[in-house]
Amino acid sequence: MADYKRILVALDLSEESSQVLDKAGEMAKAFGAELCLTHVIEPLTFAYGGDIPMDLSEVQEQLQNQAKEQLRKAGDKFGVAEERQRVVLGQPATEIHRLADELESDLIIMGSHGRHGLALLLGSTANGVLHGAGCDVLAVRVHSD
């Protein structure tokens, strides 16, 4: 079995994120590993392709500030220092790979909603992370409460 020292936890900050964080906490405790938390926000220009004739930078900044606050609260639960919490802007799978490499993570933990059919065919963030990661990936099956 691998000996994990640095675990990158990718959270979508949904209500189900606590399930992922709980599993990450168990893994960190079992291996004596350091947790790093991240949340990736897709730029609004990605979603709207510049079709909206207005400046979205203020809205983007508000989203980032809200995400930082939610990540801080999640980090507090497991004593993850703020310098090991990252809110980044970009394409989720790409940014998670980049961060895992940058932080020399040996495990990425993230949630998976277990989608089927068309959603699975089109791919998901978990699938994208799994297929491009340079380290182990643990996809935690999350359930809506």
Side-chain angles (χ1 to χ4, degrees), residues 6-13 34-41 63-65 67-72 74-75 80-90 92 95-105:
R6 287 186 198 90
I7 300 173
L8 177 62
V9 186
L11 299 171
D12 66 4
L13 301 178
E34 173 183 86
L35 289 179
C36 294
L37 308 180
T38 190
H39 174 70
V40 181
I41 299 173
L63 288 172
Q64 285 178 264
N65 290 337
K68 285 177 185 175
E69 180 59 22
Q70 286 182 275
L71 202 61
R72 185 192 60 73
V80 178
E82 283 193 47
E83 60 267 12
R84 290 188 284 131
Q85 300 175 24
R86 309 268 178 92
V87 173
V88 294
L89 212 53
E95 291 304 317
I96 292 167
H97 291 151
R98 184 188 62 73
L99 262 179
D101 290 343
E102 179 184 309
L103 299 170
E104 299 178 349
S105 301

Side-chain angles (χ1 to χ4, degrees), residues 68 78 112:
K68 285 177 185 175
F78 287 95
S112 175

Side-chain angles (χ1 to χ4, degrees), residues 78-136:
F78 287 95
V80 178
E82 283 193 47
E83 60 267 12
R84 290 188 284 131
Q85 300 175 24
R86 309 268 178 92
V87 173
V88 294
L89 212 53
Q91 197 281 329
T94 301
E95 291 304 317
I96 292 167
H97 291 151
R98 184 188 62 73
L99 262 179
D101 290 343
E102 179 184 309
L103 299 170
E104 299 178 349
S105 301
D106 31 40
L107 177 63
I108 299 168
I109 298 178
M110 61 187 310
S112 175
H113 295 275
R115 291 184 172 90
H116 301 287
L118 189 58
L120 183 60
L121 179 67
L122 295 174
S124 67
T125 300
N127 194 39
V129 170
L130 177 65
H131 291 335
C135 64
D136 291 350

